[in-house]
Amino acid sequence: MIIRIKTLAADRRHFLAGLGALAFPAAAQAQLTIRIEDPDFRPLPIAIAALQGKTAEERATADQIGAVMTENLRNSGLFRPIDPNAFIQRDGSEVNAPRFNDWKGIGADALVTGSVFHRTNGDIRIEFRLWDVTAGVQLVGRALETLETNWRRLAHKMSDVVYQRLTGEQGYFDTRIVYVAEEGTALARVKRLAIMDQDGANHRFLTSGKNLVLTPRFSPSAQEITYLEYVSKKPRVYILNIDTGRREIVGDFAGMTFSPRFSPDGNKIIMSLTRDGNSEIFIMDLRTRERQRLTNHQAIDTSPSYRPDGSEITFNSDRSGRQKIYVMNADGSSVRRISNRAGRYATPVWSPRGDLIAFTKIEQGTFYIGVMRPDGEGERILARGFLAEGPTWAPNGRVLMFFKKPRGGLAKLYSIDLTGRNERQVETPLSASDPAWSPLLKD
């Protein structure tokens, strides 16, 4: 799907107070920014004005887009959308000429306005602007155009633009989640791959449930996943193209196979394979199908994950007597342990920014989701709960998703900000585990 994006010029009638009509362009002078790390942080009050449309159809689409955008920003935990019932200016003139005192009066720091246009060729065009209410300036102006049926993606794109401009960090709303959907009894468990937008919309199943599936992982360079499927009780590693449905067998390996994951360039698969009753880490070149063994130890080595630049790999191993996190060079050299506190560590996964490693930790019967720096320092616990495990990163390295199973309940997906704030459940129709977050979708 192609999304065409155009920058809208700033409305030059709005400048910083007192500078007059010949001042520098307003967008260059605005200073409104969310400081996420502030200890007294509070969500930014933002008004999302009703998007305008000339026809009933355009207005209906505008309302849907506004609702999705509002929930995206609210669910991030960084924004507090203001109740539209409090709006003073609501005659449509706010699209290009906000009366900033009206928006200040209801406590808004930022304002989103815009219009929706349906084209005769079946396309939809959205023009929207983000305003700094206190300074009275336009921060961003964008026009986005694509097929009318893809209006929801435009809402996510708009949310990403607002998020990035006000936080200084890349947005993550125009993404998808793949996970393992589970149903049935303990003795007749059905596990299927499922996929949905990051907000739970557009949910669909990718596999039939005939065979057991585990550990789906996205390619960093394409809308493909690798996963493990048991066929006739034998593990096979597959690659599935999400958009075309084309499936390819990576390998049918003797012994057990665990946790396949792509390399950063998408050209290799790294995984653990059982050899002579022992689990070791291997990589496979997807072009040549050649395998290379990276570890050689009598302990169990598993759950490998690459650093974003491909230079190093983190994994977990019990070679010290208990399950801990290790880091090694991409060729398997220079293995060193980085987790040194009490408890067992598992499922390490490198942040897309390369600055942190997320993990599952089990100590005295309690499960934790945490992060640490690649040298093992700065360990922080973000979430806890019964069987809380399997962290996956949003592509901006700001948000984590994981799953946990309340005692006696169903496993569900949860997201949490890197600060440990704003833990929330992500709705799924069935029990859910093993989430994997996609990269940003391509325009």
Side-chain angles (χ1 to χ4, degrees), residues 86-128:
F87 295 174
I88 299 171
Q89 185 182 13
R90 55 174 76 212
D91 57 5
S93 62
E94 69 273 12
V95 171
N96 295 308
R99 296 194 298 268
F100 291 108
N101 284 336
D102 287 353
W103 300 100
K104 289 179 189 176
I106 63 171
D109 288 343
L111 168 68
V112 175
T113 65
S115 299
V116 174
F117 306 91
H118 283 184
R119 305 297 202 189
T120 57
N121 65 354
D123 282 1
I124 182 176
R125 177 181 173 89
I126 300 176
E127 297 179 359
F128 79 100

Side-chain angles (χ1 to χ4, degrees), residues 34 103 189 287:
I34 296 176
W103 300 100
R189 201 70 173 158
R287 296 160 298 188

Side-chain angles (χ1 to χ4, degrees), residues 352-409:
R353 299 194 291 203
D355 58 339
L356 293 170
I357 294 173
F359 57 83
T360 300
K361 181 176 181 176
I362 307 99
E363 185 176 10
Q364 297 182 347
T366 300
F367 286 69
Y368 303 90
I369 301 296
V371 294
M372 66 176 69
R373 293 198 298 270
D375 61 2
E377 297 299 317
E379 180 177 322
R380 290 187 291 119
I381 298 299
L382 304 181
R384 68 190 66 199
F386 184 64
L387 296 181
E389 54 186 315
T392 181
W393 291 94
N396 68 350
R398 178 81 230 169
V399 181
L400 284 165
M401 189 173 290
F402 60 98
F403 71 98
K404 63 181 176 180
K405 182 180 180 181
R407 294 183 185 275

Side-chain angles (χ1 to χ4, degrees), residues 51-284:
L51 302 180
Q52 300 298 299
K54 293 182 179 180
T55 68
E57 187 180 15
E58 287 174 345
R59 289 191 293 273
T61 302
D63 289 345
Q64 291 175 311
I65 291 172
V68 170
M69 189 175 185
T70 297
E71 287 309 298
N72 278 342
L73 297 178
R74 189 197 316 277
N75 288 338
S76 76
L78 305 184
F79 299 88
R80 179 175 62 82
I82 294 174
D83 186 345
N85 291 323
F87 295 174
I88 299 171
Q89 185 182 13
R90 55 174 76 212
D91 57 5
S93 62
E94 69 273 12
V95 171
N96 295 308
R99 296 194 298 268
F100 291 108
N101 284 336
D102 287 353
W103 300 100
K104 289 179 189 176
I106 63 171
D109 288 343
L111 168 68
V112 175
T113 65
S115 299
V116 174
F117 306 91
H118 283 184
R119 305 297 202 189
T120 57
N121 65 354
D123 282 1
I124 182 176
R125 177 181 173 89
I126 300 176
E127 297 179 359
F128 79 100
R129 300 177 190 271
L130 172 66
W131 307 88
D132 181 335
V133 171
T134 302
V137 298
Q138 177 183 307
L139 301 179
V140 172
R142 293 283 191 277
L144 296 85
E145 191 168 339
T146 188
L147 294 175
E148 187 178 325
T149 53
N150 293 316
W151 64 266
R152 181 176 284 274
R153 277 205 60 200
L154 293 190
H156 293 321
K157 287 283 188 186
M158 293 168 63
S159 304
D160 283 335
V161 169
V162 171
Y163 183 99
Q164 183 165 353
R165 178 58 188 83
L166 294 179
T167 69
E169 299 191 5
Q170 184 185 58
Y172 62 93
F173 302 110
D174 191 27
T175 57
R176 298 190 282 193
I177 304 294
V178 66
Y179 71 97
V180 176
E182 302 183 38
E183 59 183 333
T185 65
L187 297 179
R189 201 70 173 158
V190 176
K191 293 189 176 186
R192 290 183 284 175
L193 291 185
I195 193 169
M196 61 186 179
D197 294 352
Q198 56 77 30
D199 61 354
N202 294 321
H203 187 280
R204 61 188 172 97
F205 294 106
L206 298 174
T207 58
S208 66
K210 178 182 177 181
N211 296 318
L212 177 70
V213 293
L214 297 170
T215 60
R217 300 291 181 261
F218 266 100
S219 166
S221 58
Q223 287 298 308
E224 294 180 332
I225 60 170
T226 182
Y227 66 98
L228 191 64
E229 180 171 338
Y230 281 83
V231 180
S232 299
K233 298 183 179 181
K234 294 182 179 180
R236 289 181 179 172
V237 177
Y238 287 92
I239 292 178
L240 175 66
N241 185 293
I242 297 296
D243 296 324
T244 67
R246 181 178 178 271
R247 194 171 75 152
E248 173 187 358
I249 296 178
V250 175
D252 191 350
F253 307 104
M256 297 298 293
T257 310
F258 302 98
S259 308
R261 190 184 292 269
F262 283 98
S263 62
D265 60 9
N267 292 328
K268 300 183 182 70
I269 293 287
I270 189 168
M271 58 194 147
S272 58
L273 303 178
T274 300
R275 289 291 180 271
D276 302 321
N278 188 38
S279 178
E280 303 288 357
I281 294 174
F282 289 75
I283 56 174
M284 173 180 277

